Structure formats: structure tokens, C-alpha cells
Amino acid sequence: MTPNNTPSTPSSPPSSPSSPSPSSPSPSSSSLAGIPVPDSRLAREATELVRDVTDDLIYHHSHRVYLFGAHHGLRHNLAFDPELLYVGALFHDLGLTEKFRTSQQRFEIDGADEARAFLTARGIPEDRARLVWEGIALHTTPEIPHHMAPEIALVTAGVELDVLGIGYDTLPPETREAVVAAHPRPDFKPRILRAFHAGLAHRPQTAFGNVKADVLDRFEADYTRPNFVRIIEDSPWPA
């Protein structure tokens, strides 16, 4: 995620192998506000899994991330695989769910691992599943995803729009209204912050060096933000 309100435009990210043209959705798709939505068996199974393990907050947020990310890709004429982007968007916050309340790795990695296991179990080649893993693992890392394959960059673009409002003014109002009508966001700002806190409170060390440290700083009274300079100065090296 980027820390300002300027939309991140991909600077000619590398194309992923075998990505279809975004202007030619597969036969197994529907659409919402002109945005193709995968409706293949793989997409339906991903939807069912995420519906079963998330609440309405994460479920609808994840769908908006896909729709906003895909819209961004279409607007910038990027060739991306809608199925892979869909799985990346739907799984990107699974690490915040109850299943991972004892995990000690970054929540992004929890979601990325789940997505890769889901895809490889269904015969998706490892190099394609890796794109989804990277898209989820990097979605809270500023700038870098936008220089990577579209399936990676567009997860971040969708998250940035739905959570931070980056690119809000570039989205046609009718598209925004249609997406929010299908996937509502009542009281989204305080609710998503509470979800971030609940998913991070037991593993505060994983917020070091990323934007989620701000969540713990706001909601954890005893949280002390690690200081990179102090870590260097206090390392065991004599000089």
C-alpha cells in the first residue's frame, strides 16, 4: 500500500506467462459494472471456502478488492488472469481469521500459503500459484507490487482503493455504486481496523517494518514500536 492519495499506476509491470487479454473474459465468467467476474469451478470453490471461513466484513471487502483491482487492470490495459486475481483477492485477508489466531508469522503469509495450497491442490501449476502467493504476501508492502506481474500489482491496487481510498476519484461513480451495492461496506473503516487489530494482537513482532504497526500503535496500550535505528545501534556488533 502506498501512503498517499495518488493512484499507483503500474510502470509497465512484466506480463505473467500465459495471461489472457483482460478485454476477452473467459466463457466461465459473469460481470458486474462491466468488470468480468470469474464463474469457473475454481472460482466457485474459492468463493465457497472464503464464505465459510470469513465474516461479512472480510467476504465483501475481498470481493471489492477483486473488482477494484480488475477495473484498474482494464483501465490500464493490463493483461491479467482474472481467475488468479480473483483467488488472490479473496484469500488476501484469510490470515486475519480465527484459524490463524495462534500463528506467529505475518498474516499476509498465512493467506498466501492457504491460496497456494488451494490452487496447487486443484492442478494449477506452481509458477501460476506463485503469482497469487506473491500478490497476497506483498499486498501491504508499498510500491514494489506495482512493478511486478499484473496479478500481483492488481491485488495491491484493489486493497489500496478499498482500504485507503487511493484512486477513489478516478473510479466512475456508477462503478463505485454498483460494486458497493453488490458488496456493501457498512461502518467499514472502524470494523476493518478492529479486524486488523484482532489478527495482529497476538503476533505484534510481525508488524515491524510494515503499515500494520500503525494499527497496534493505535489499539494496543502497551505496544512499543520497534525502532530500526535502535536495533542497529543495540546489535551485538562492537562497531
Side-chain angles (χ1 to χ4, degrees), residues 160-178:
E160 288 178 340
L161 177 50
D162 199 48
V163 178
L164 303 179
I166 295 173
Y168 182 90
D169 292 335
T170 69
L171 192 68
E174 61 273 17
T175 301
R176 186 167 60 242
E177 291 166 8

Side-chain angles (χ1 to χ4, degrees), residues 152-235:
I152 299 168
L154 296 178
V155 172
T156 294
V159 170
E160 288 178 340
L161 177 50
D162 199 48
V163 178
L164 303 179
I166 295 173
Y168 182 90
D169 292 335
T170 69
L171 192 68
E174 61 273 17
T175 301
R176 186 167 60 242
E177 291 166 8
V179 170
V180 172
H183 297 288
R185 41 177 294 150
D187 297 319
F188 178 73
K189 293 178 182 180
R191 292 173 69 209
I192 196 64
L193 287 172
R194 288 196 296 270
F196 290 151
H197 180 219
L200 293 166
H202 68 282
R203 45 179 163 183
Q205 75 285 355
T206 66
F208 175 57
N210 69 77
V211 295
K212 292 301 187 288
D214 293 335
V215 175
L216 295 175
D217 192 51
R218 171 69 67 89
F219 295 104
E220 286 286 305
D222 298 328
Y223 178 69
T224 300
R225 185 192 297 267
N227 184 284
F228 177 66
V229 174
R230 189 169 301 142
I231 291 171
I232 294 174
E233 292 175 339
D234 294 343
S235 83

